[in-house]
Amino acid sequence: MYYKKFAISLALASFTIPIHSEDFMDFQSLLSGISTNLNSNSTTGATKRLESPLSAPSIVKVYTQKDIEKFDTVYDLLKTAPGVHVENGYFGRQYINIRGVLNGIYNLKILFLVNGIKVNDPVGPHFNLDTIPKESIKRLELIRGAGSVLYGSSAYSGVISIETFDGKGYDKNSANFTLGSAGVFGANANYFEKNDSNQHFFSFRVFGEDGTDRAKPGDYRYHSSVPNGYRNLLLRQPLYRSFPGDASDFRMDYDNHSILGVSEFKDLKFSYGTSKVKRNLSYNEAVNVPFWGGITPIFQNPNGLSVPASFNEDQRRIRSHNNQEQDWIGMEYKKQISDKTSFRLSGKYVHSIEEVREYDLNLFNLDSESKAVEFEIQASHQVNDRWNLIFGYNREEVDFVQKTFSPFVNIASQVFTGIAIPSNEFFNVTPGSLTMDGIYLQSIYQISDKISFLAANRLNNHELLSSGFAPKYALTFELNKDEFFKVIWGKAFRYPSPFELFVNLPTVAFRGNPNLQEEKVTSWEYNWVKSFDNGKKNASVTYYDMELKDLLTTATTNYVNVAGIVKAKGWELEWDQKINDKLGWYTNLTFMDYVDPTAPNGIVGGQIKFKGAFGFDYKWKENLSLYSNSQWLGERTESPASGLPNQPEVLVHDLGVVYKHGESHRIRMDVLNILDEDYRTLNYSVNMPKMMTPPRGRRVQLSYQIQF
């Protein structure tokens, strides 16, 4: 009770609301402001305990709903975050890259948490942040740097922890409707319900894009002279892109249906969600696809290979689709055993399904299904006024099955193995399972009134790989009031996914690779952070220095760990300021540098060395607000082996205008990518046989929100 009174008093002291005689300020609005202020000044993901982001022994950036609502999507918010770059991938998927740590086309090296539940798909990690309605997010914590000591595998370069609203929130029910160019349509509804013994929150989202052209003439000129990938594959030569000529009329039909809920019963909390995402792609090729005149007679007749009829609907039209489904539920039980000791028990069940169908030059089609069950037990003990201990154990079990199908795979299999394989049936990868567990201990000791020390370590165990430790140490110095300097050293890791462990590329022999190791990173971080004028101004400067070891990549027939250590270092500069009641602004600058001793001249292909963001929000009138967000993406370095030019820098602008129509209604207009800029991502510069989805061009959207 004392803690709650102290927190409310602290919030009231730092959160001021100008009250005029003509204004009506009800108690609910006041409580909503207090809640927002507390959420922006606290973090739980950094050390699994409530503390200030300023003093937390990690590099933490906290966003509340007031920050998130300024952007069209959570991805658009993260694009402007320090150290974060969002890549475009297959089927319009978006992948988050923290500090440029070589994610390739997957969210492999970042851990996603929703109300403390890991929601990464362990087999094909294509988790869609868009399936978490942005209107349901109360707080998003971006934790940069090694996080494996508390969270285990995949907390490699960072953790994104989302906390949603629940029935205890002070917000109103709402409904939101969106229409826009490129065939955009969407609807969202948030609903709260509570009584004396329990409370509930539900959020529903429907969103779609009808397939309007994304590609401009000449968008794919970089593909025009690249040799056919399958010919190279069958001749056991390096595998390059298989796309000659220019593409046009790229269409993406996108549907996203998702439901999220939270139910609380005293000390017991349930979070659950379900989502279905469908993407259908098609595009025109400027010339007939040359593959069918291939190097052997069997390739000359596509009808003999049971190619879907849609392929023959004008040989210049290429089609593919991707379906993803995920259902998850998590449970959390908290108990305060005494004034100094608390207990937490949590568990989850996640079921993920993915289907990929490529009806053109891609190498294979596949179906994937996984089920992940995890439980964690954690105890926190305040030894004395200066010393806090957290002890925990978690265990995760993953069951998975995959099947793959393609005439091309089967023919390639015959080339490699000399064994005739039918060309028109699925092949199942032997179903498998994995068990991983870990035990961790975290100690935070207040050495003096100005200095605290964190020492933590985790012992990991994987049933197929060797066990190992993931330590972390941090010193935090309080220089002045709301000013801190931090020195952090830590290790993190990522286990190979079941796909990497058990499936080779191309999927020929369906055998695992017993020689794989987990990817490892060791990092130093130095951070200065300061808050001025009761939180109206905030500054942060971070320097990091990392060594990436045993990175996984694809060879012709399997995954391998790359020899040598990739060096990564950089600066992250942050500033935000609330100038007055009407105007606020921010800027983030990130400088990155990479050296790969195994690459020609040490160059890491697909990397950018600089990115920046600038934005402001302006309350023009009491009922009219303006939001502007821009990001500068520096020149992208191509791999010297590709023979392609570096991709030039680009500046992308987004603009939003909100008009409040009465107390409970508002109209919003967004103009996204105002200059219609195109910036190719990492996927355009790696050796991939499939043409990537073009970046989203200029888009205009109108939204109408009702609160009730």
PDB file of all heavy atoms in Angstrom, residues 270-286:
ATOM      1  N   PHE A 270      -4.025 -14.408 -17.376  1.00  0.00           N
ATOM      2  CA  PHE A 270      -3.954 -15.140 -18.636  1.00  0.00           C
ATOM      3  C   PHE A 270      -3.870 -14.141 -19.792  1.00  0.00           C
ATOM      4  O   PHE A 270      -4.629 -13.167 -19.837  1.00  0.00           O
ATOM      5  CB  PHE A 270      -5.182 -16.034 -18.836  1.00  0.00           C
ATOM      6  CG  PHE A 270      -5.261 -17.187 -17.887  1.00  0.00           C
ATOM      7  CD1 PHE A 270      -5.976 -17.086 -16.712  1.00  0.00           C
ATOM      8  CD2 PHE A 270      -4.603 -18.378 -18.169  1.00  0.00           C
ATOM      9  CE1 PHE A 270      -6.047 -18.147 -15.825  1.00  0.00           C
ATOM     10  CE2 PHE A 270      -4.675 -19.449 -17.296  1.00  0.00           C
ATOM     11  CZ  PHE A 270      -5.392 -19.335 -16.115  1.00  0.00           C
ATOM     12  N   SER A 271      -2.953 -14.403 -20.711  1.00  0.00           N
ATOM     13  CA  SER A 271      -2.870 -13.645 -21.962  1.00  0.00           C
ATOM     14  C   SER A 271      -3.003 -14.632 -23.109  1.00  0.00           C
ATOM     15  O   SER A 271      -2.437 -15.729 -23.054  1.00  0.00           O
ATOM     16  CB  SER A 271      -1.537 -12.900 -22.068  1.00  0.00           C
ATOM     17  OG  SER A 271      -1.364 -11.982 -21.008  1.00  0.00           O
ATOM     18  N   TYR A 272      -3.729 -14.255 -24.153  1.00  0.00           N
ATOM     19  CA  TYR A 272      -3.964 -15.198 -25.232  1.00  0.00           C
ATOM     20  C   TYR A 272      -4.185 -14.434 -26.532  1.00  0.00           C
ATOM     21  O   TYR A 272      -4.581 -13.257 -26.543  1.00  0.00           O
ATOM     22  CB  TYR A 272      -5.176 -16.088 -24.935  1.00  0.00           C
ATOM     23  CG  TYR A 272      -6.318 -15.379 -24.253  1.00  0.00           C
ATOM     24  CD1 TYR A 272      -7.327 -14.764 -24.995  1.00  0.00           C
ATOM     25  CD2 TYR A 272      -6.382 -15.301 -22.864  1.00  0.00           C
ATOM     26  CE1 TYR A 272      -8.367 -14.114 -24.369  1.00  0.00           C
ATOM     27  CE2 TYR A 272      -7.417 -14.638 -22.224  1.00  0.00           C
ATOM     28  CZ  TYR A 272      -8.408 -14.046 -22.977  1.00  0.00           C
ATOM     29  OH  TYR A 272      -9.431 -13.371 -22.363  1.00  0.00           O
ATOM     30  N   GLY A 273      -3.890 -15.102 -27.625  1.00  0.00           N
ATOM     31  CA  GLY A 273      -4.057 -14.472 -28.920  1.00  0.00           C
ATOM     32  C   GLY A 273      -4.173 -15.491 -30.025  1.00  0.00           C
ATOM     33  O   GLY A 273      -3.725 -16.643 -29.902  1.00  0.00           O
ATOM     34  N   THR A 274      -4.769 -15.067 -31.113  1.00  0.00           N
ATOM     35  CA  THR A 274      -4.860 -15.892 -32.306  1.00  0.00           C
ATOM     36  C   THR A 274      -4.765 -14.980 -33.518  1.00  0.00           C
ATOM     37  O   THR A 274      -5.244 -13.842 -33.484  1.00  0.00           O
ATOM     38  CB  THR A 274      -6.167 -16.704 -32.349  1.00  0.00           C
ATOM     39  OG1 THR A 274      -6.184 -17.540 -33.513  1.00  0.00           O
ATOM     40  CG2 THR A 274      -7.382 -15.803 -32.372  1.00  0.00           C
ATOM     41  N   SER A 275      -4.115 -15.453 -34.573  1.00  0.00           N
ATOM     42  CA  SER A 275      -3.947 -14.609 -35.760  1.00  0.00           C
ATOM     43  C   SER A 275      -3.870 -15.477 -37.004  1.00  0.00           C
ATOM     44  O   SER A 275      -3.406 -16.616 -36.974  1.00  0.00           O
ATOM     45  CB  SER A 275      -2.678 -13.755 -35.640  1.00  0.00           C
ATOM     46  OG  SER A 275      -1.521 -14.564 -35.566  1.00  0.00           O
ATOM     47  N   LYS A 276      -4.336 -14.895 -38.101  1.00  0.00           N
ATOM     48  CA  LYS A 276      -4.224 -15.509 -39.425  1.00  0.00           C
ATOM     49  C   LYS A 276      -3.760 -14.431 -40.402  1.00  0.00           C
ATOM     50  O   LYS A 276      -4.370 -13.364 -40.501  1.00  0.00           O
ATOM     51  CB  LYS A 276      -5.560 -16.095 -39.886  1.00  0.00           C
ATOM     52  CG  LYS A 276      -6.018 -17.293 -39.077  1.00  0.00           C
ATOM     53  CD  LYS A 276      -7.295 -17.895 -39.655  1.00  0.00           C
ATOM     54  CE  LYS A 276      -7.720 -19.132 -38.870  1.00  0.00           C
ATOM     55  NZ  LYS A 276      -8.949 -19.761 -39.425  1.00  0.00           N
ATOM     56  N   VAL A 277      -2.680 -14.720 -41.090  1.00  0.00           N
ATOM     57  CA  VAL A 277      -2.103 -13.778 -42.047  1.00  0.00           C
ATOM     58  C   VAL A 277      -1.989 -14.478 -43.396  1.00  0.00           C
ATOM     59  O   VAL A 277      -1.432 -15.577 -43.486  1.00  0.00           O
ATOM     60  CB  VAL A 277      -0.721 -13.275 -41.581  1.00  0.00           C
ATOM     61  CG1 VAL A 277      -0.103 -12.366 -42.635  1.00  0.00           C
ATOM     62  CG2 VAL A 277      -0.835 -12.545 -40.243  1.00  0.00           C
ATOM     63  N   LYS A 278      -2.506 -13.839 -44.439  1.00  0.00           N
ATOM     64  CA  LYS A 278      -2.435 -14.389 -45.794  1.00  0.00           C
ATOM     65  C   LYS A 278      -1.834 -13.339 -46.718  1.00  0.00           C
ATOM     66  O   LYS A 278      -2.217 -12.176 -46.691  1.00  0.00           O
ATOM     67  CB  LYS A 278      -3.828 -14.782 -46.302  1.00  0.00           C
ATOM     68  CG  LYS A 278      -4.476 -15.909 -45.516  1.00  0.00           C
ATOM     69  CD  LYS A 278      -5.824 -16.277 -46.120  1.00  0.00           C
ATOM     70  CE  LYS A 278      -6.463 -17.435 -45.360  1.00  0.00           C
ATOM     71  NZ  LYS A 278      -7.776 -17.828 -45.940  1.00  0.00           N
ATOM     72  N   ARG A 279      -0.892 -13.783 -47.549  1.00  0.00           N
ATOM     73  CA  ARG A 279      -0.269 -12.902 -48.539  1.00  0.00           C
ATOM     74  C   ARG A 279      -0.248 -13.624 -49.886  1.00  0.00           C
ATOM     75  O   ARG A 279       0.344 -14.692 -49.999  1.00  0.00           O
ATOM     76  CB  ARG A 279       1.159 -12.539 -48.128  1.00  0.00           C
ATOM     77  CG  ARG A 279       1.272 -11.806 -46.808  1.00  0.00           C
ATOM     78  CD  ARG A 279       2.736 -11.532 -46.500  1.00  0.00           C
ATOM     79  NE  ARG A 279       2.932 -10.773 -45.285  1.00  0.00           N
ATOM     80  CZ  ARG A 279       3.119 -11.313 -44.084  1.00  0.00           C
ATOM     81  NH1 ARG A 279       3.116 -12.628 -43.952  1.00  0.00           N
ATOM     82  NH2 ARG A 279       3.306 -10.559 -43.029  1.00  0.00           N
ATOM     83  N   ASN A 280      -0.884 -13.040 -50.882  1.00  0.00           N
ATOM     84  CA  ASN A 280      -0.858 -13.561 -52.244  1.00  0.00           C
ATOM     85  C   ASN A 280      -0.113 -12.560 -53.122  1.00  0.00           C
ATOM     86  O   ASN A 280      -0.464 -11.375 -53.164  1.00  0.00           O
ATOM     87  CB  ASN A 280      -2.278 -13.767 -52.781  1.00  0.00           C
ATOM     88  CG  ASN A 280      -3.029 -14.820 -51.992  1.00  0.00           C
ATOM     89  OD1 ASN A 280      -2.528 -15.926 -51.797  1.00  0.00           O
ATOM     90  ND2 ASN A 280      -4.219 -14.482 -51.523  1.00  0.00           N
ATOM     91  N   LEU A 281       0.901 -13.029 -53.820  1.00  0.00           N
ATOM     92  CA  LEU A 281       1.734 -12.166 -54.639  1.00  0.00           C
ATOM     93  C   LEU A 281       1.635 -12.551 -56.108  1.00  0.00           C
ATOM     94  O   LEU A 281       1.479 -13.728 -56.447  1.00  0.00           O
ATOM     95  CB  LEU A 281       3.205 -12.263 -54.214  1.00  0.00           C
ATOM     96  CG  LEU A 281       3.549 -12.028 -52.748  1.00  0.00           C
ATOM     97  CD1 LEU A 281       5.053 -12.071 -52.562  1.00  0.00           C
ATOM     98  CD2 LEU A 281       2.988 -10.716 -52.250  1.00  0.00           C
ATOM     99  N   SER A 282       1.764 -11.551 -56.967  1.00  0.00           N
ATOM    100  CA  SER A 282       1.898 -11.816 -58.395  1.00  0.00           C
ATOM    101  C   SER A 282       2.554 -10.608 -59.040  1.00  0.00           C
ATOM    102  O   SER A 282       2.467  -9.493 -58.540  1.00  0.00           O
ATOM    103  CB  SER A 282       0.542 -12.098 -59.047  1.00  0.00           C
ATOM    104  OG  SER A 282      -0.265 -10.934 -59.033  1.00  0.00           O
ATOM    105  N   TYR A 283       3.233 -10.848 -60.159  1.00  0.00           N
ATOM    106  CA  TYR A 283       3.898  -9.766 -60.869  1.00  0.00           C
ATOM    107  C   TYR A 283       4.145 -10.201 -62.308  1.00  0.00           C
ATOM    108  O   TYR A 283       4.107 -11.390 -62.640  1.00  0.00           O
ATOM    109  CB  TYR A 283       5.217  -9.375 -60.194  1.00  0.00           C
ATOM    110  CG  TYR A 283       6.168 -10.527 -59.958  1.00  0.00           C
ATOM    111  CD1 TYR A 283       7.113 -10.892 -60.909  1.00  0.00           C
ATOM    112  CD2 TYR A 283       6.106 -11.253 -58.776  1.00  0.00           C
ATOM    113  CE1 TYR A 283       7.979 -11.949 -60.689  1.00  0.00           C
ATOM    114  CE2 TYR A 283       6.964 -12.306 -58.536  1.00  0.00           C
ATOM    115  CZ  TYR A 283       7.901 -12.655 -59.508  1.00  0.00           C
ATOM    116  OH  TYR A 283       8.751 -13.711 -59.284  1.00  0.00           O
ATOM    117  N   ASN A 284       4.402  -9.232 -63.156  1.00  0.00           N
ATOM    118  CA  ASN A 284       4.715  -9.499 -64.561  1.00  0.00           C
ATOM    119  C   ASN A 284       6.209  -9.442 -64.777  1.00  0.00           C
ATOM    120  O   ASN A 284       6.897  -8.578 -64.232  1.00  0.00           O
ATOM    121  CB  ASN A 284       4.045  -8.470 -65.472  1.00  0.00           C
ATOM    122  CG  ASN A 284       2.589  -8.793 -65.715  1.00  0.00           C
ATOM    123  OD1 ASN A 284       2.196  -9.950 -65.743  1.00  0.00           O
ATOM    124  ND2 ASN A 284       1.780  -7.754 -65.876  1.00  0.00           N
ATOM    125  N   GLU A 285       6.706 -10.369 -65.571  1.00  0.00           N
ATOM    126  CA  GLU A 285       8.110 -10.353 -65.978  1.00  0.00           C
ATOM    127  C   GLU A 285       8.168  -9.806 -67.403  1.00  0.00           C
ATOM    128  O   GLU A 285       7.345 -10.155 -68.248  1.00  0.00           O
ATOM    129  CB  GLU A 285       8.678 -11.765 -65.898  1.00  0.00           C
ATOM    130  CG  GLU A 285       9.965 -11.994 -66.657  1.00  0.00           C
ATOM    131  CD  GLU A 285      11.086 -11.080 -66.176  1.00  0.00           C
ATOM    132  OE1 GLU A 285      10.971 -10.506 -65.087  1.00  0.00           O
ATOM    133  OE2 GLU A 285      12.067 -10.947 -66.901  1.00  0.00           O
ATOM    134  N   ALA A 286       9.142  -8.932 -67.662  1.00  0.00           N
ATOM    135  CA  ALA A 286       9.208  -8.236 -68.943  1.00  0.00           C
ATOM    136  C   ALA A 286       9.445  -9.182 -70.116  1.00  0.00           C
ATOM    137  O   ALA A 286       9.090  -8.874 -71.244  1.00  0.00           O
ATOM    138  CB  ALA A 286      10.292  -7.169 -68.905  1.00  0.00           C
TER     139      ALA A 286
END
